Amino acid sequence: MKSVIVALAGVLAAVTTACSADTAASGDLGPATGAGDQGWPFAVEEVDQFDEPWAMAFLPGSGDLLVTERNGTLHLRHADSGERVEVEGTPEVVDAGQGGLGDVLPGPTYAEDGLVYLSWAEAGDGGAGAAVGRARLETSGDDASLEDLEVIWRQTPKTDGAGHFSHRLAFSPDGENLFVSSGDRQLGDPAQDTTNTLGTIVRLTPGGEPAPGNPMADESGARAEIWSWGHRNPLGLEFAPDGTLWSSEMGPEGGDELNLIEAGANYGWPEVSGGSDYGGGEIPDHADGDGYAAPARSWTPSISPGSLLIYGGDLFEDWQGDAFLGALSGEALVRVELNGRAAGETEVFDMGERIRAVEEGPDGAIWLLEDEGAGRLLRLTPSSASSS
């Protein structure tokens, strides 16, 4: 859990609301508060608080929750008691800018072997880059540890800078393939170069090898693990109940995107975008026939989508199959109705804090992690007004 570079402030686009001041230390955060007086269909319960949260995942069977913090800490939060254990054996991370310990995901065979998958920013020749590893989660009493951690994939090449690692993880519904989002590291042009993995989404076996049947496997010089390319900073990656793969992606100044991800598709960055370069440089918009996959939904001004959930639970029946994006600069939870391969109605819930992660609980509740500074863990359930 030791970071190898001193933490710096995050470098995320912010165009609407500045970060709120730090809140008090964790403790008794009070009873559930209903949101019905704002016309919301859910009540909000504050259940915990973290320092630098980035991602979370529920463990099958127990409902226990894993929470990563960018400084390299991994927490195991017990469902029954709410008590937290710091998990030992996490990797050394580059804790700078947008780097640090990133995503966490139980493997498809977790019930049999206890394997969990992690992503993080690591140092190496040329600078820093994202890495993905897996380890066996061992628990005993008040102790928890990652055993036999192995790196199974690395973003290439490593570069200077501390932004756009992306490194979100998603397993295909059949558990046969691991998808990883790989940001452009704020370099732009490499996202159109398939000889590297910057600005791509890759498709791997659970052991980290290029998955059979990838679209670039037979292309001379191309990286065989590439599934799609032309991405900027895809910080959300999620399968819908119908098996389609979706990603939320940060644009430059404007042009944030929700994309349907398809094999061999080029999403255009930095050749096309709904946004503009920082400092006012213009980028052509998506246009019919330009050869690039256009977003299903985009936002200008930016909302800074930092996470993505495709809801599949029963508590919010009307929202089954819809996308939920945690907005950072937008300080909101954004719902996008999905109709198969198309995006429809959009609804915005102003949460008043930067939303770093969105996850579905075992009972269908929607869980949110606020970004560092506030850092609260929130549980959303149907409000009494919506269920009456």
Side-chain angles (χ1 to χ4, degrees):
M1 296 173 294
K2 303 295 191 295
S3 47
V4 296
I5 296 180
V6 176
L8 302 175
V11 190
L12 294 171
V15 298
T16 55
T17 315
C19 296
S20 299
D22 291 358
T23 59
S26 59
D28 182 5
L29 297 174
T33 55
D37 58 344
Q38 300 185 51
W40 291 354
F42 52 75
V44 180
E45 180 185 4
E46 304 172 357
V47 297
D48 212 332
Q49 194 166 23
F50 297 86
D51 293 330
E52 297 180 296
W54 204 92
M56 58 181 161
F58 288 93
L59 294 175
S62 67
D64 292 345
L65 183 66
L66 289 172
V67 176
T68 65
E69 292 191 303
R70 290 194 312 181
N71 63 10
T73 303
L74 176 64
H75 298 275
L76 174 63
R77 185 181 189 276
H78 294 292
D80 294 337
S81 66
E83 296 295 321
R84 287 173 10 197
V85 176
E86 188 172 314
V87 181
E88 300 295 327
T90 55
E92 288 191 340
V93 305
V94 172
D95 182 7
Q98 297 170 18
L101 186 58
D103 214 353
V104 60
L105 188 66
T109 56
Y110 174 82
E112 292 78 43
D113 54 27
L115 284 179
V116 296
Y117 288 73
L118 299 164
S119 67
W120 64 92
E122 65 170 9
D125 292 342
V132 175
R134 63 179 181 178
R136 189 176 68 258
L137 178 64
E138 295 280 2
T139 59
S140 177
D142 293 333
D143 298 322
S145 62
L146 296 178
E147 302 294 333
D148 302 322
L149 176 65
E150 61 172 338
V151 175
I152 63 170
W153 181 83
R154 286 185 164 98
Q155 186 182 53
T156 56
K158 286 182 167 59
T159 72
D160 293 334
H164 294 194
F165 296 96
S166 298
H167 56 43
R168 283 286 182 187
L169 309 176
F171 269 102
S172 57
D174 61 9
E176 293 295 320
N177 299 126
L178 173 64
F179 289 78
V180 183
S181 67
S182 176
D184 75 338
R185 299 302 322 284
Q186 296 178 306
L187 297 175
D189 290 343
Q192 290 297 317
D193 179 1
T194 57
T195 65
N196 70 84
T197 59
L198 304 186
T200 69
I201 291 174
V202 302
R203 176 176 173 260
L204 310 170
T205 68
E209 297 296 321
N214 281 346
M216 306 302 293
D218 297 327
E219 296 288 331
S220 177
R223 294 299 297 256
E225 65 262 48
I226 292 176
W227 186 251
S228 62
W229 69 99
H231 298 285
R232 184 176 182 270
N233 191 18
L235 282 169
L237 194 63
E238 184 91 351
F239 277 92
D242 64 4
T244 52
L245 179 62
W246 295 82
S247 176
S248 59
E249 184 167 337
M250 283 197 184
E253 290 198 45
D256 294 339
E257 298 178 350
L258 176 64
N259 287 306
L260 174 66
I261 302 301
E262 301 197 81
N266 182 346
Y267 289 80
W269 178 256
E271 300 300 320
V272 295
S273 173
S276 301
D277 273 328
Y278 296 111
E282 291 302 315
I283 306 171
D285 292 335
H286 285 272
D288 291 341
D290 62 9
Y292 303 116
R297 180 74 171 85
S298 63
W299 288 267
T300 298
S302 292
I303 61 169
S304 304
S307 52
L308 176 65
L309 165 70
I310 309 295
Y311 186 73
D314 295 324
L315 274 188
F316 297 96
E317 292 186 4
D318 292 343
W319 291 348
Q320 287 179 351
D322 288 354
F324 287 84
L325 297 86
L328 291 162
S329 67
E331 297 189 347
L333 177 66
V334 179
R335 181 182 72 87
V336 179
E337 181 182 9
L338 297 183
N339 302 302
R341 301 166 62 84
E345 170 189 326
T346 297
E347 189 171 16
V348 177
F349 302 103
D350 182 357
M351 304 302 296
E353 294 288 352
R354 294 162 58 90
I355 303 302
R356 170 56 66 179
V358 188
E359 189 59 74
E360 182 182 319
D363 63 352
I366 296 174
W367 292 66
L368 308 180
L369 268 175
E370 295 173 338
D371 203 21
E372 62 180 302
R376 294 177 300 173
L377 176 65
L378 307 176
R379 181 174 180 261
L380 311 186
T381 53
S383 66
S384 57
S386 66
S387 58
S388 60

